[in-house]
Amino acid sequence: QYSLVRDVVSALRRHRMHEQQFLHPPLLVLGNFGARARAELRLMAGMFQGMFPALNVHRVNLNSIRRCLLISYDADSQLLEFRHYSVQVVPVGLSRGLRKILQEKFPNLGRMDDISQLL
């Protein structure tokens, strides 16, 4: 079973797909591919890991991670489940106006006398 991209985009309220997301490889997350798994599961895990470059967690730029690919193995049904997520960095602990400026969404300043009212 699969879904086409146009079906996924049409089902979303606000889609955030843009070409800059695909400039860097996704963060790969493997689920239920344990160390004591059978040989074919270890082979599949190695194949998926070989498809994407390894990340150095000490030197990775968090702003370059825009997507996450989750591959999960269900042992009961012996099926793989692929999920592809878009990752967005959101500032926390800031006023709404300042958050909009940092996210490059320019607020309506027509109701304000000064920029200090926004901040």
Side-chain angles (χ1 to χ4, degrees):
Q1 297 177 354
Y2 63 93
S3 297
L4 297 175
V5 171
R6 67 174 176 237
D7 297 331
V8 173
V9 170
S10 66
L12 297 174
R13 282 187 234 155
R14 287 181 279 155
H15 72 89
R16 292 188 334 232
M17 282 187 8
H18 49 83
E19 59 193 39
Q20 287 143 356
Q21 286 182 319
F22 300 99
L23 293 177
H24 299 284
L27 176 67
L28 178 65
V29 178
L30 297 175
N32 299 328
F33 287 90
R36 291 185 228 130
R38 298 186 319 241
E40 54 269 5
L41 283 180
R42 288 194 307 266
L43 180 64
M44 277 195 298
M47 180 193 71
F48 289 129
Q49 289 171 346
M51 292 172 67
F52 304 103
L55 293 176
N56 184 347
V57 294
H58 300 292
R59 295 186 356 175
V60 69
N61 182 5
L62 293 179
N63 291 327
S64 68
I65 298 175
R66 295 290 181 194
R67 298 178 295 139
C68 178
L69 178 63
L70 171 66
I71 302 173
S72 180
Y73 176 71
D74 186 11
D76 296 335
S77 63
Q78 295 185 349
L79 294 176
L80 290 175
E81 184 176 298
F82 292 81
R83 299 263 177 171
H84 191 209
Y85 296 98
S86 175
V87 177
Q88 181 180 11
V89 179
V90 178
V92 178
L94 301 174
S95 68
R96 184 176 182 186
L98 191 56
R99 194 172 355 155
K100 283 186 177 183
I101 289 175
L102 290 176
Q103 289 179 342
E104 299 178 4
K105 295 177 184 175
F106 298 104
N108 183 8
L109 298 175
R111 295 174 281 151
M112 299 176 195
D113 297 330
D114 191 8
I115 189 73
S116 64
Q117 291 178 345
L118 176 70
L119 302 177

